[in-house]
Amino acid sequence: MYAASREASSRSKEALRAALTGSNGVAATTGSELFAVVDVLDDQRPLRVALADVSVPGSARAELCERIFGSQVSAATQAVLTTAVAQDWSRARDLVDTLVLLGQLAYLESASEKGRLTAVEDELFRFGRIIADNPELEQALSDRAASAAAKRELLERLLSGKAEPITRALAEQVVTRQRAGIGVAFDELSDLAAARREQIVAHVRSAIELTDSQRERLGGALARIYNKAVTVHVEVDPELLSGLVVRIGDDVIDGSAIGRLDRLRRSLT
């Protein structure tokens, strides 16, 4: 995002925090309604452009938004929408992307209120790994020719009775809007949940499955390095031969056998 949209997104997040503060129980409704608004804006390009048109005063855009959505959403959701559309956005798409993010944050807030945030984070990560390891599944969920209803039906078969309702709601939003990189989108959602818990995420590839005690020791060591609580997500990759590859943000720690062999090969050449 350009600077204008970054500032607009920041103010919209503040509006969401204000709308949800002291309003226990409305977060899930707000998330659902924001996603519904996003569906409308995805389908209605003229409306999407009108709500982000910086040549029109923000107050007029907010009034238009209230006329269209005011009778269909809760007061909390309308307060967030009014603030968001009144901002100056560099692109209309930035407004929509921010509304998606706000919907995700609202759902994660609901999971936190219910004490299920850790479970949701873990389910999002695991489902992302399942998709990444199954190209046919990823193709089915990202197929442009497939209808949103067909994708929802497939998702329901995969997750029904196996995941939290909030996980399913977030997953549905991803697969009905995402065209590619679905596995990455689930990783980003898992990271967002970890950030909500004020933790950073270590994405770990290991040649073998780690025991619980090994995960705890690794998490403790990384927490000491980064001076912050660390959530460890592990996927097994036998091609590493032995050892681990740890990625935290842009930092990569490669202690795998294949990594050491590659460094040796490059030094010899």
Side-chain angles (χ1 to χ4, degrees):
M1 288 186 181
Y2 292 108
S5 285
R6 286 198 300 272
E7 178 64 23
S9 181
S10 177
R11 290 179 179 175
S12 299
K13 291 175 189 174
E14 291 174 3
L16 178 68
R17 283 193 292 270
L20 298 184
T21 299
S23 302
N24 193 43
V26 306
T29 298
T30 300
S32 175
E33 290 174 345
L34 286 170
F35 283 170
V37 170
V38 166
D39 289 341
V40 173
L41 297 183
D42 279 342
D43 290 339
Q44 302 292 330
R45 183 179 183 277
L47 176 59
R48 184 171 71 240
V49 172
L51 291 177
D53 186 355
V54 295
S55 68
V56 176
S59 59
R61 283 179 272 135
E63 183 180 345
L64 172 63
C65 179
E66 188 162 2
R67 286 205 309 270
I68 294 172
F69 297 112
S71 62
Q72 303 178 49
V73 299
S74 64
T77 302
Q78 186 57 48
V80 175
L81 288 173
T82 299
T83 298
V85 301
Q87 307 306 311
D88 289 341
W89 299 90
S90 304
R91 302 180 308 163
R93 178 53 53 190
D94 292 343
L95 166 62
V96 178
D97 289 345
T98 293
L99 292 179
V100 171
L101 174 60
L102 297 180
Q104 293 169 343
L105 291 171
Y107 267 121
L108 293 176
E109 177 63 26
S110 177
S112 179
E113 291 173 354
K114 299 177 190 314
R116 304 303 298 163
L117 185 56
T118 301
V120 168
E121 177 192 338
D122 185 63
E123 289 171 353
L124 290 168
F125 172 76
R126 291 181 183 278
F127 191 52
R129 293 302 89 211
I130 290 171
I131 294 172
D133 293 339
N134 191 328
E136 292 182 357
L137 176 59
E138 181 164 16
Q139 174 60 33
L141 291 174
S142 59
D143 186 359
R144 291 177 180 270
S147 67
K151 292 179 181 180
R152 289 190 188 98
E153 183 180 348
L154 173 57
L155 196 64
E156 183 65 18
R157 293 203 304 270
L158 292 169
L159 296 182
S160 180
K162 302 173 185 176
E164 297 282 334
I166 289 173
T167 302
R168 298 203 302 272
L170 290 168
E172 179 180 314
Q173 191 276 332
V174 168
V175 301
T176 54
R177 294 192 77 248
Q178 201 81 10
R179 297 294 180 261
I182 285 181
V184 173
F186 277 98
D187 284 348
E188 291 173 348
L189 270 175
S190 180
D191 289 357
L192 194 63
R196 174 62 183 77
R197 297 195 297 124
E198 298 184 345
Q199 299 200 356
I200 57 176
V201 177
H203 294 277
V204 179
R205 290 161 56 214
S206 172
I208 60 173
E209 186 66 54
L210 299 182
T211 65
D212 289 343
S213 62
Q214 288 173 325
R215 288 172 184 252
E216 290 177 7
R217 289 200 301 273
L218 177 60
L222 293 171
R224 288 191 292 274
I225 293 173
Y226 286 89
N227 197 30
K228 193 170 186 179
V230 177
T231 295
V232 176
H233 287 318
V234 181
E235 61 175 306
V236 177
D237 183 357
E239 293 185 1
L240 296 178
L241 302 179
S242 68
L244 307 169
V245 176
V246 180
R247 177 175 61 81
I248 298 179
D250 294 331
D251 295 344
V252 178
I253 305 170
D254 189 345
S256 66
I258 196 69
R260 291 194 295 272
L261 288 172
D262 183 60
R263 289 192 293 274
L264 176 62
R265 177 187 59 78
R266 283 187 279 122
S267 68
L268 292 175
T269 57

